[in-house]
């Protein structure tokens, strides 16, 4: 019997970091297909638009043949059911992530018991990388190339220029 297991990897990805790339690479080795699901997330005021975030994830994951990118708004488990996904992937960097991730995993399990949350541990190199730190370092003119792929550095620079004008 051939398997075709799809996992969703949801997040805001504002912007997409090397930490995110590390997790999606690990997920792509575990599942037949992975859809990076980019949340519109109206609660947060994102630096990048949904289209810009989808484009940067597409560029950064272009070398992973079983990874696709999907924008989404609404309940994650609804999208998972609609697409036939069996798992939701989230990354864990350090213990501070546990509380939020557990709460989210239990909420999603209540809503959709048949869908598993799979928490993947990031590589040590990215344990302290976060999108908010990247935005802050960039805002103050620091070198973000340690934290994000070159295509995202370019997107940040373009965004900075747009905001200056
Ligand atoms: O990168 P983030 O901001 O930590 O991602 C959070 C995200 C988008 C995965 C989460 O807020 C989410 O799943 N939102 C969709 C609404 C939903 O399904 N909520 C129930 C689970 S908490």
């Amino acid at each position: 019997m051939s398997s075709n297991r799809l996992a969703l990897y949801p997040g805001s990805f504002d912007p997409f970091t090397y930490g995110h790339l590390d997790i999606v690479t690990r997920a792509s080795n575990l599942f037949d297909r992975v859809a990076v699901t980019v949340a519109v997330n109206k609660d947060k005021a994102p630096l990048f638009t949904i289209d810009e975030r989808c484009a940067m994830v597409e560029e950064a994951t272009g070398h992973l043949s079983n990874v696709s990118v999907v924008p989404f708004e609404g309940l994650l488990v609804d999208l998972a059911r609609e697409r036939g996904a069996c798992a939701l992937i989230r990354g864990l960097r350090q213990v501070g992530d546990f509380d939020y991730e557990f709460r989210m995993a239990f909420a999603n399990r209540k809503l959709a018991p048949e869908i598993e949350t799979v928490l993947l541990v990031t590589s040590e190199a990215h344990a302290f990388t976060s999108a908010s730190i990247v935005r802050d370092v960039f805002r103050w003119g620091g070198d973000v190339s340690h934290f994000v792929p070159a295509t995202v550095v370019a997107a940040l620079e373009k965004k900075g220029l747009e905001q200056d004008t």
Side-chain angles (χ1 to χ4, degrees), residues 3 11 14 19-20 27 65 84 87 89 96 103 115 129 131 133 150 162:
S3 102
D14 185 40
H20 296 132
S65 60
I89 304 290
R103 278 188 284 127
I115 299 170
T129 300
I133 283 180
E162 279 169 15

Side-chain angles (χ1 to χ4, degrees), residues 93-157:
R93 291 162 297 186
Q94 8 76 20
V95 285
D97 285 341
F98 263 76
D99 184 50
Y100 177 52
E101 296 305 333
F102 267 56
R103 278 188 284 127
M104 202 149 71
F106 284 124
N108 284 327
R109 179 174 285 166
K110 269 275 182 260
L111 296 168
E114 78 281 13
I115 299 170
E116 293 294 344
T117 293
V118 178
L119 299 175
L120 295 179
V121 177
T122 192
S123 76
E124 284 165 60
H126 307 303
F128 295 96
T129 300
S130 73
S132 60
I133 283 180
V134 171
R135 291 195 302 272
D136 206 37
V137 170
F138 180 73
R139 185 174 298 126
W140 299 107
D143 180 4
V144 288
S145 66
H146 307 288
F147 309 115
V148 297
T151 51
V152 176
V153 176
L156 279 160
E157 283 168 354

Side-chain angles (χ1 to χ4, degrees), residues 6-28:
L6 168 68
L8 303 187
Y9 175 36
S12 301
F13 307 114
D14 185 40
F16 190 76
T17 67
Y18 277 134
H20 296 132
L21 184 58
D22 179 67
I23 296 298
V24 73
T25 304
R26 291 173 194 282
S28 77

Side-chain angles (χ1 to χ4, degrees), residues 42-65:
K42 290 200 172 117
D43 293 346
K44 299 182 179 177
L47 176 63
F48 289 99
T49 67
I50 184 70
D51 289 344
E52 288 168 336
R53 285 180 281 140
C54 286
M56 73 172 65
V57 181
E58 257 159 27
E59 279 174 347
T61 59
H63 59 292
L64 300 169
S65 60

